[in-house]
Amino acid sequence: MEVTNKFIAIKATIDGEPQECDFELKVEPFSLAVKPGSKDVIIKNIYVSIDPYQLNRMKSVSSSKKTSKFAPRIAPGEVIGAYGVGKVVASGNPEFEKDDYVVGIISWGEYSISQGFMGCWLSKLDPMGFPLSYHVGLLGFSGLTAYAGFFEICKPKKGEKVFVSAASGSVGNLVSQYAKNLGCYVVGSAGSPYKVKLLKEKFGFDGAFNYKEETDLDSTLEKYFPEGIDIYFDNVGGVMLEAAISNMNSYGRVALCGVISEYTDVGKRAAPNMLNVVYKRIMIQGFLGGDYMHLFPEFVSTTVDHIRAGKMHVLEDISIGLESVPSAFVGLFRGYNVGKKIVRVSNDLEDC
Ligand code: NAP
């Protein structure tokens, strides 16, 4: 059976701040039947993840395309692969059956076909009684990134002083919750008074500040960390990274998860004081969540325990309809999202 598939594509490569007009909605014929003898899995998409890293795939030149199999180039006009949850329509792969829920790389569209795309990262999903959207963020790739980055890279100890930037964002809020559950002192930065209030009142941060209102980030961090920072979980790079390095303690650890402030403006690239790094023996490490897939079962089991014990809260921000993908994506770079940004592309409420 053939249907039409609507999907979102870029019109041309994007090298600055993305705008909604950089995207277009395309419609193409799409077969719901599996080609005879193929192992294709045809998926009806339900929820798709909206992630900052996609911008690096849309640039004319970016290191992400050369070094990460998770971030291949996005060509103008083509389907954009993205993390998400869907339902199997037809399968030539014996591991999947019609009506199975699946999680992994699908696309910013109504339907996806999984045929070895980006390493064929697709798994059968047991929702475990949670809403399907949880498996896009909290129990999905953002969660794994937060878990692996915090526990594997930062190697935290109870009582340590932890600073998290973009702390009300998808990865940031989860890192902060893991840190609080471990018994760390946690301070976060975010870009609005509403977000700061949320971090302090809902998530019980020891401190939070609106970085847009601060004129001297070095002094701000000194005020919140009079005894210095042991761990900095960096989501933003730029001047915040420089200020954090100035306030790190000896043997401090910096997990470089992302540098969103630099994605739209290379002129904002961080130049931390490297003498501090040397004399304080600071460890700075970049990492990719996708390198820690082996931790997925451990991460899910720990996180589910926290959720069921009421020790972890979900913070998600869901837009409705495929047409909202461009505005949802552009909004990440303007701080419009609060928590995990997701778009529900299916109208079938029974699946949501
Ligand atoms: P997110 O934090 O939910 O959304 C992005 C947030 O970044 C915005 O809400 C905004 O919050 C903040 N932001 C935007 N422009 C900024 C700027 N110029 N300066 C400072 N903050 C800015 O997104 P996410 O998915 O959790 O990703 C967070 C970071 O982790 C990104 O850098 C992303 O690329 C990275 N990441 C890395 C991996 C990995 O495997 N290494 C995986 C997932 C994500 P405010 O209102 O606070 O400004």
Side-chain angles (χ1 to χ4, degrees), residues 163-165 232-238 240-241 254-259:
F163 174 48
V164 182
S165 53
Y232 173 41
F233 194 99
D234 188 16
N235 288 310
V236 304
M240 193 67 90
L241 175 59
V254 178
L256 276 189
C257 178
V259 293

Side-chain angles (χ1 to χ4, degrees), residues 49-54 56 141-142 145-146 165-173 189-192 195 211-212 233-237 240 256-264 268 286-291 331-341:
S49 180
I50 307 294
D51 297 285
Y53 86 101
Q54 298 278 26
N56 299 325
F141 192 67
S142 301
T145 301
S165 53
S168 70
S170 178
V171 175
N173 92 82
S189 62
S192 76
K195 290 180 176 183
Y211 68 94
K212 291 180 181 164
F233 194 99
D234 188 16
N235 288 310
V236 304
M240 193 67 90
L256 276 189
C257 178
V259 293
I260 193 168
S261 75
E262 304 178 26
Y263 294 174
T264 50
K268 290 196 172 153
F287 73 99
L288 293 175
D291 290 338
L332 293 176
F333 301 90
R334 300 177 184 168
Y336 294 166
N337 63 306
V338 183
K340 176 69 210 164
K341 189 70 212 176

Side-chain angles (χ1 to χ4, degrees), residues 39-41 93 105 113-122:
K39 288 203 165 177
D40 292 355
V41 184
N93 184 330
I105 300 301
I113 176 158
S114 177
Q115 44 180 195
F117 188 46
M118 282 168 76
C120 194
W121 180 13
L122 190 75

